[in-house]
Amino acid sequence: NAGVTQTPKFQVLKTGQSMTLQCAQDMNHEYMSWYRQDPGMGLRLIHYSVGAGITDQGEVPNGYNVSRSTTEDFPLRLLSAAPSQTSVYFCASSRVGRGSYGYTFGSGTRLTVV
Amino acid sequence: DAKTTQPPSMDCAEGRAANLPCNHSTISGNEYVYWYRQIHSQGPQYIIHGLKNNETNEMASLIITEDRKSSTLILPHATLRDTAVYYCIVRPLRAGGTSYGKLTFGQGTILTVHP
C-alpha cells in the first residue's frame, strides 16, 4: 500500500550510541519531514526537506542530522543518543506545488535512550 | 500561523454526529484550515482542509463560518474507531502559492465515542 514507512518501530539505545531512523515514501512526494512527540509537548518539527539534496532545520534540530539523496528516503540520524531524545518520532510527507495538500504520516518509531 | 482554540474534550454517542468546534479568530486571508486526528499510539491522520467554502469528503465535513473565524468538523455517524485526538491547524500557503512547512499541533480535542 502506498504511504510512509518507518523503521524500526521500537528501539532501545544506550546513552552515547548512534543510530539511524529510516523513513521511506512511495508517493513521489517532494516534501518530507521529521517530528518528535513528547507527552504534553505536542509534535515538534526536527528537520525537513523539499527535495533531494535540500534540507533545513525545524524547531528542535540539535542532536539530529538528516540527508536527502533520493526523493523516496529521508533518514534521521542520532549522532550520540541522550535520554532527552527518548520520544516517539514521526515522519511525514506531502506534495509541493500550487495548492494546498494534506500530510501523510508514518506509524512512528518509539525510541528509548537509557 | 494563526492560533487555534479547541475544547479539551468531547463525548459522542456511537451512531450520532460528532461536531468538533475550532476557533481561529486571527486567521488571515491566505490561511487554510486543516483537520488531523491521532488515534492512540498511531501517526496523525489527515482528515480534511478548506479555505472558505464548506468541504466534504469520505471521512468528514468541514463547515467554515462566513467570517472564517471559526470552523466545525463534522463526523456524520461516529463509531468507536473515531475515538481520537482531533487537531485543528491553520496554515498559510507560502509565497508563490506553494504548500509545505511546519504543522503546529496544539493540544487538540479528545473525542470519546461511547457505545
Side-chain angles (χ1 to χ4, degrees), chain B residues 15-89:
Chain B
R16 303 298 294 271
N19 298 283
L20 291 88
C22 179
N23 181 284
H24 32 79
S25 58
T26 60
I27 193 170
S28 300
N30 68 338
E31 291 182 313
Y32 282 76
V33 180
Y34 290 79
W35 284 84
Y36 287 79
R37 73 180 183 183
Q38 188 171 24
I39 297 171
H40 181 63
S41 299
Q42 298 181 19
Q45 178 187 25
Y46 164 78
I47 300 173
I48 199 169
H49 75 276
L51 182 62
K52 55 183 178 181
N53 298 320
N54 298 339
E55 302 287 345
T56 297
N57 62 21
E58 65 279 4
M59 291 183 66
S61 295
L62 174 60
I63 308 298
I64 302 174
T65 58
E66 191 170 345
D67 63 8
R68 303 207 324 120
K69 293 185 177 182
S70 65
S71 61
T72 300
L73 178 74
I74 301 173
L75 308 178
H77 305 286
T79 71
L80 299 179
R81 289 177 293 181
D82 292 322
T83 293
V85 181
Y86 287 78
Y87 298 98
C88 170
I89 299 167

Side-chain angles (χ1 to χ4, degrees), chain A residues 35 37 50 98-100 103 110, chain B residues 34 36 38 41 96 99 101 103:
Chain A
Y35 287 81
Q37 185 172 33
V50 298
R98 290 198 64 82
S100 181
Y103 285 34
R110 284 145 187 83
Chain B
Y34 290 79
Y36 287 79
Q38 188 171 24
S41 299
S99 171
L103 291 180

